[in-house]
Amino acid sequence: MSDKQPNVLVARGVFPEVLARLREHFEVEANPDDSVWPPAELSRRLAGKVGVFTTGSERIDAALLDTHPQLRAVCNMAVGYNNIDLDACTARGVLVSNTPDVLTETTADFGFALMMATARRITESEHFLRAGQWTKWSYDMFAGAEVHGSTLAVLGMGRIGQAIARRGALGFGMRVVYHNRSRLDAAIERELGARWVDKAELLRVADHLVIVVPYSAQSHHLIGAAELAQMKPSATLTNIARGGVVDDAALAQALRERRIAAAGLDVFEGEPRVHPDLLSVPNVVLTPHIASASVATRRAMADLAADNLIAALGCGPAAGRPPTALNPQVLAK
Ligand code: 8YV
């Protein structure tokens, strides 16, 4: 029977239980070493595959799709899908899915934690302690910025932005301002006590700017030198969205010159490389793209990506109805 099963590729390491579930439906080529395959190797391994389970590290573009016209489904284990050319997939009838919702609260927890670590200088002070430099208490030692009662400025007010705003407003008594292409419903604005402002006002009033916009050509370097210059010198910036939304070189310079107080970064331009200037400034908290990384949430993301792949390829109880398809119209054809 197994020779009748569709062939799929799982492009990165994943929970064994999730692989086992995929193997109930498919002939699976996995990546037990969890290598990041260069584009040519990814393409080679896609030969004969009708579905692929991807993460943010695999680029799926028009040229790759044209090389593999047999490909029917690309299921990304991430809410962001800037690694996939969605229009090119849709034009070729290839189903694309992502993993929204299951990571919202976990990612918001991390975004809030990173903002707090940044404001209160937690990693900077830990490095000082570990280096044996703590010899006495001083009145201003690692004195940081207030979090409670301050102004939380959210750039990008989707599901994760709203969850961060809720933490700030309801947990820490913060004033919430936000900037987004579309305004929230009045009822949600009331619940969050959130006020829509233009980008200039957002930058001007922010005590803590948290960036949660998806990456696209339009959001490339949305925050660069000119924007950083509009912020308060006491303000912090936290980026949990995507590298490239912030100009990392301009940010490192602003941090070095103390034109803003501090930054917290979970994502980087060209990651896993990190701009060397960011590594050499003390007032930045750096984490390796782990905002969604709780055990339960990563498992939920992997399960949801697998559910999508199974359903998109006509298997399982939801055959033909992948739960979080981005272009479900391709299945209606
Ligand atoms: C992923 C993310 O871990 O969901 C996203 O968009 O950035 C992270 O949660 C990462 O993209 C790996 O796929």
Side-chain angles (χ1 to χ4, degrees):
M1 289 296 278
S2 81
D3 56 337
K4 292 220 177 80
Q5 289 186 322
N7 289 309
V8 303
L9 181 66
V10 176
R12 292 293 306 276
V14 74
F15 298 90
E17 300 85 345
V18 175
L19 268 187
R21 206 151 66 76
L22 289 171
R23 288 199 164 106
E24 290 170 15
H25 304 278
F26 307 124
E27 205 60 60
V28 177
E29 178 178 344
N31 181 349
D33 301 334
D34 193 30
S35 312
V36 180
W37 292 324
E41 183 165 3
L42 176 65
S43 182
R44 188 172 64 69
R45 290 180 185 269
L46 273 174
K49 308 295 192 305
V50 291
V52 59
F53 180 116
T54 55
T55 70
S57 46
E58 289 70 49
R59 177 152 295 284
I60 307 291
D61 58 18
L64 188 70
L65 295 169
D66 287 341
T67 309
H68 298 288
Q70 82 288 348
L71 194 62
R72 309 300 335 137
V74 177
C75 298
N76 210 34
M77 183 184 151
V79 65
Y81 52 91
N82 55 300
N83 57 312
I84 299 168
D85 185 337
L86 179 60
D87 290 342
C89 286
T90 305
R92 290 159 181 77
V94 177
L95 189 285
V96 181
S97 64
N98 65 342
T99 59
D101 302 320
V102 292
L103 49 56
T104 300
E105 298 301 328
T106 298
T107 304
D109 284 348
F110 187 90
F112 210 86
L114 187 57
M115 180 271 283
M116 291 196 75
T118 302
R120 297 301 307 276
R121 307 175 65 179
I122 287 178
T123 57
E124 192 185 350
S125 61
E126 182 181 349
H127 291 147
F128 168 90
L129 180 153
R130 285 180 187 271
Q133 294 171 330
W134 185 26
T135 54
K136 62 179 187 336
W137 178 92
S138 330
Y139 76 98
D140 62 349
M141 187 168 73
F142 292 106
E146 208 72 272
V147 173
H148 73 271
S150 65
T151 298
L152 173 63
V154 182
L155 182 56
M157 201 53 145
R159 290 167 284 230
I160 298 169
Q162 290 172 43
I164 291 171
R166 193 168 293 115
R167 282 158 177 72
L170 307 182
F172 290 79
M174 298 175 89
R175 281 177 301 283
V176 176
V177 291
Y178 74 97
H179 182 68
N180 201 48
R181 265 179 316 190
S182 49
R183 281 190 62 158
L184 297 175
D185 286 350
I188 303 180
E189 280 194 355
R190 263 197 309 280
E191 184 214 335
L192 303 178
R195 187 165 65 85
W196 185 93
V197 292
D198 63 22
K199 190 176 159 198
E201 184 174 351
L202 188 88
L203 296 169
R204 195 172 65 246
V205 303
D207 291 318
H208 304 293
L209 174 67
V210 180
I211 301 168
V212 211
V213 283
Y215 181 79
S216 66
Q218 292 71 40
S219 65
H220 181 75
H221 285 190
L222 201 54
I223 301 293
E227 287 74 22
L228 292 163
Q230 295 170 55
M231 295 176 67
K232 300 178 194 175
S234 56
T236 75
L237 174 157
T238 297
N239 184 11
I240 57 162
R242 276 290 180 272
V245 174
V246 175
D247 177 342
D248 285 350
L251 176 62
Q253 193 175 346
L255 290 167
R256 187 178 313 103
E257 294 169 3
R258 304 273 166 178
R259 284 190 275 109
I260 66 168
L265 305 174
D266 186 50
V267 289
F268 304 88
E269 291 188 275
E271 65 186 50
R273 285 189 312 280
V274 176
H275 196 294
D277 293 354
L278 286 172
L279 294 171
S280 64
V281 286
N283 47 341
V284 60
V285 181
L286 306 167
T287 53
H289 202 148
I290 55 168
S292 66
S294 74
V295 178
T297 291
R298 283 289 167 83
R299 178 64 195 268
M301 291 165 68
D303 273 325
L304 181 53
D307 290 343
N308 276 294
L309 192 55
I310 292 165
L313 295 176
C315 303
R321 288 174 286 111
T324 53
L326 289 160
N327 56 354
Q329 69 273 25
V330 303
L331 294 179
K333 282 183 188 161

